[in-house]
Amino acid sequence: MARTVLEPRADREVFELQLEIRPEHIDDNGHVNNVVYVGWLQDAGTAHWNARFDAETRAKWSWVALRHEIDYLRALQPDATAVARTWVGDPRGPRFARYVRIEDGEGRLCAQGVSEWCLVEAATLRPTRIPATMLPTFERS
């Protein structure tokens, strides 16, 4: 099955997060376990949010992951270095698709994923339409 390689749109900021491969990430096959990638998708999205929004905004709003889809393309070995590159799509009401590419230290694509996130009011956990004022933060300047 041919996979479409995820590429960021020209108008989107791409946020990078260095990933640490720890001994407990390695499975019986000698490479990073698939479940670890799910955590990395969440880590990349959370780090992007925390890096771009102030404490007051983060206290008012929160994100809930609704779905993750991952393509595994190249195994990451215990001694590898890795980076997650993430960006968002267009908002749909309270939802954003978040795209993540996980690359090794040589820039080779090892995995890619799409997560669907829903914006909620932190106090009530009720879904809320993504405010227009939030959108420019995710755009490339």
Side-chain angles (χ1 to χ4, degrees):
M1 168 167 81
R3 294 176 180 93
T4 301
V5 174
L6 297 177
E7 295 288 347
R9 292 181 1 196
D11 65 337
R12 291 293 184 238
E13 176 201 36
V14 177
F15 180 81
E16 294 186 5
L17 176 67
Q18 293 298 314
L19 302 172
E20 179 186 0
I21 298 173
R22 298 192 305 257
E24 62 268 23
H25 292 165
I26 307 306
D27 63 18
D28 292 341
N29 295 319
H31 55 70
V32 174
N33 187 282
N34 294 2
V35 175
V36 173
Y37 289 87
V38 175
W40 285 345
L41 264 61
Q42 291 193 178
D43 292 347
T46 300
H48 190 190
W49 170 251
N50 289 340
R52 297 297 180 258
F53 291 90
D54 61 28
E56 182 179 338
T57 302
R58 294 190 322 264
K60 181 177 180 180
W61 307 107
S62 188
W63 293 92
V64 175
L66 302 175
R67 177 173 196 277
H68 298 293
E69 180 180 319
I70 303 174
D71 295 320
Y72 303 97
L73 306 166
R74 177 186 305 272
L76 279 168
Q77 305 301 319
D79 58 348
T81 58
V83 63
R85 300 180 201 291
T86 185
W87 64 95
V88 298
D90 290 323
R92 293 183 333 270
R95 298 175 182 209
F96 251 143
R98 175 171 288 283
Y99 302 91
V100 180
R101 290 173 52 106
I102 296 174
E103 301 170 359
D104 66 13
E106 298 177 34
R108 295 178 298 190
L109 182 61
C110 297
Q112 62 181 13
V114 180
S115 296
E116 185 173 12
W117 290 84
C118 181
L119 182 68
V120 296
E121 293 179 34
T124 65
L125 297 182
R126 289 185 177 209
T128 303
R129 179 175 293 279
I130 298 167
T133 56
M134 196 179 282
L135 301 178
T137 304
F138 296 111
E139 295 172 357
R140 182 168 284 167
S141 51

